[in-house]
Amino acid sequence: LGMSVPSGGIDWDIVADNADICDALVNIPGPTTQKRYTCNGQLFTTSTHRDNIEALLSSCNGRLTWAGGKFKIRAGAYESPSVTLTANDIIGDIQVRTAPQRQDRFNTVRGIIFDPDQQYQQIEFGEITDAAMVTRDGGSKLYRDLVLPFTNSAYMAQRVAFKQLAQSENPIIAVVPTNLRGLKVAVGD
């Protein structure tokens, strides 16, 4: 039923670190806490591996990458840099794209989850809007719609939405040609 990936084909140290990120307790309204992210739902063997993986990763705003012969699974959280590149490591012109086109931008995230308190019916979670971004976009709300099939808490869904909104505010993409030291950097580092 799976992808037949051997255990050695997964970077378990990164999995453990990111499981700790997901398990960290965060405050929610009221005198209580909940885990930052949990994964709650069901997979279907009729779905593709890609669709099932994307559904699983949606619960933690995560991503799956492959580097150095191993799959790396990361939750949507900041990671401190682990490699420093200097001017001596750069071997060509740097290309920078500073802003996405308007059709690719969003300033409001909304979506649906499956609520266990309502017999797992689809419900909308509260939208997350950045007023400064709306102003930047001429006062128009530009929406990104999410379906979070493995998220069963509106608070968790709002954390995922907030993270995506925050990431969209930092749209700088740089292409930096490096010497071999650049091979120490993988997607997500």
Side-chain angles (χ1 to χ4, degrees):
L1 295 176
M3 293 173 43
S4 300
V5 175
S7 181
I10 298 171
D11 189 324
W12 290 108
D13 291 336
I14 288 178
V15 169
D17 291 345
N18 283 271
D20 291 343
I21 289 168
C22 293
D23 287 341
L25 296 177
V26 296
N27 293 323
I28 59 173
T32 188
T33 60
Q34 69 178 193
K35 290 184 178 184
R36 178 176 283 121
Y37 303 119
T38 62
C39 186
N40 311 281
Q42 60 184 344
L43 295 174
F44 297 98
T45 58
T46 55
S47 298
T48 66
H49 290 130
R50 175 182 296 270
D51 289 344
N52 281 335
I53 290 169
E54 287 177 2
L56 290 166
L57 292 172
S58 74
S59 68
C60 65
N61 196 36
R63 82 179 125 206
L64 174 71
T65 59
W66 190 84
K70 293 186 178 189
F71 284 102
K72 300 171 188 295
I73 303 166
R74 288 188 161 89
Y78 174 78
E79 290 183 42
S80 299
S82 59
V83 175
T84 300
L85 298 175
T86 67
N88 294 334
D89 300 314
I90 300 171
I91 60 171
D93 293 335
I94 297 172
Q95 300 171 18
V96 178
R97 187 183 86 188
T98 58
Q101 299 294 323
R102 182 175 170 87
Q103 67 266 18
D104 296 328
R105 285 196 316 247
F106 57 94
N107 54 42
T108 302
V109 180
R110 61 186 178 189
I112 60 169
I113 63 169
F114 297 86
D115 188 356
D117 294 333
Q118 297 183 37
Q119 270 66 41
Y120 293 92
Q121 296 298 310
Q122 292 183 2
I123 65 162
E124 292 182 9
F125 62 85
E127 69 180 34
I128 303 295
T129 301
D130 185 305
M133 292 168 71
V134 172
T135 301
R136 172 202 68 196
D137 294 324
S140 298
K141 282 190 176 181
L142 305 176
Y143 291 96
R144 176 170 211 175
D145 292 317
L146 296 179
V147 176
L148 300 173
F150 281 74
T151 301
N152 64 2
S153 161
Y155 296 123
M156 276 184 220
Q158 289 172 346
R159 277 193 288 284
V160 169
F162 180 78
K163 188 69 174 174
Q164 289 198 14
L165 194 59
Q167 288 171 327
S168 78
E169 184 62 2
N170 298 310
I172 296 173
I173 296 173
V175 177
V176 182
T178 67
N179 58 19
L180 292 177
R181 185 164 170 74
L183 291 175
K184 292 184 174 187
V185 180
V187 173
D189 287 346

